Amino acid sequence: QVLLVESGGGLVQTGGSLRLSCAGSGPSFSNYAMGWFRQAPGKERELVAAISWLGAKIYYADSVKGRFTISRDNAKNTLYLQVNSLKLEDTAMYYCARFAGQSYDLSDPTPAYWGQGTQVTVSS
């Protein structure tokens, strides 16, 4: 059974930072690409960042490039998302996800597993 548990969300002012974590359980965490998605109220869920199994391939959505950093520690079965210079429009539920293979396909970035989400709220 694959279980993904996010933490680290919260309320922060514009310009602030947070570090989101995703603890994974289940077999072979390190063998799969991982990603962070977010969904704001009334909007579709979108891929924010993705990382391949060994971290050699990384993707960022244009809206977060230069502000967010995705990383993983396979020894700890943990995925991270460092979010800096937060903007009001970053307010959303952030979801950790595991893809079906060692890499991800941006033409169809549908994960195999989802976490339950952690809320990030940015205030002015």
Side-chain angles (χ1 to χ4, degrees):
Q1 180 182 0
V2 175
L3 187 63
L4 302 172
V5 180
E6 301 96 332
S7 62
L11 175 64
V12 62
Q13 290 187 324
T14 53
S17 298
L18 289 170
R19 190 191 197 199
L20 309 184
S21 298
C22 171
S25 63
S28 306
F29 175 90
S30 61
N31 286 351
Y32 296 93
M34 301 290 295
W36 287 98
F37 290 72
R38 69 183 181 186
Q39 187 167 21
K43 295 189 176 181
E44 292 187 356
R45 193 171 296 190
E46 63 173 345
L47 177 63
V48 172
I51 186 168
S52 60
W53 67 307
L54 292 178
K57 179 181 172 184
I58 289 178
Y59 162 83
Y60 294 105
D62 287 344
S63 58
V64 306
K65 277 181 184 175
R67 301 187 298 119
F68 289 13
T69 302
I70 189 171
S71 62
R72 63 190 299 164
D73 186 337
N74 287 339
K76 296 182 179 180
N77 282 8
T78 304
L79 177 73
Y80 302 101
L81 186 69
Q82 179 68 40
V83 298
N84 298 329
S85 303
L86 282 163
K87 304 176 180 181
L88 293 175
E89 53 265 39
D90 293 319
T91 294
M93 184 71 78
Y94 284 72
Y95 297 90
C96 169
R98 199 196 86 174
F99 293 99
Q102 293 179 343
S103 187
Y104 49 86
D105 180 0
L106 293 178
S107 66
D108 182 18
T110 303
Y113 297 94
W114 293 97
Q116 84 289 348
T118 186
Q119 177 69 38
V120 172
T121 302
V122 185
S123 65
S124 58

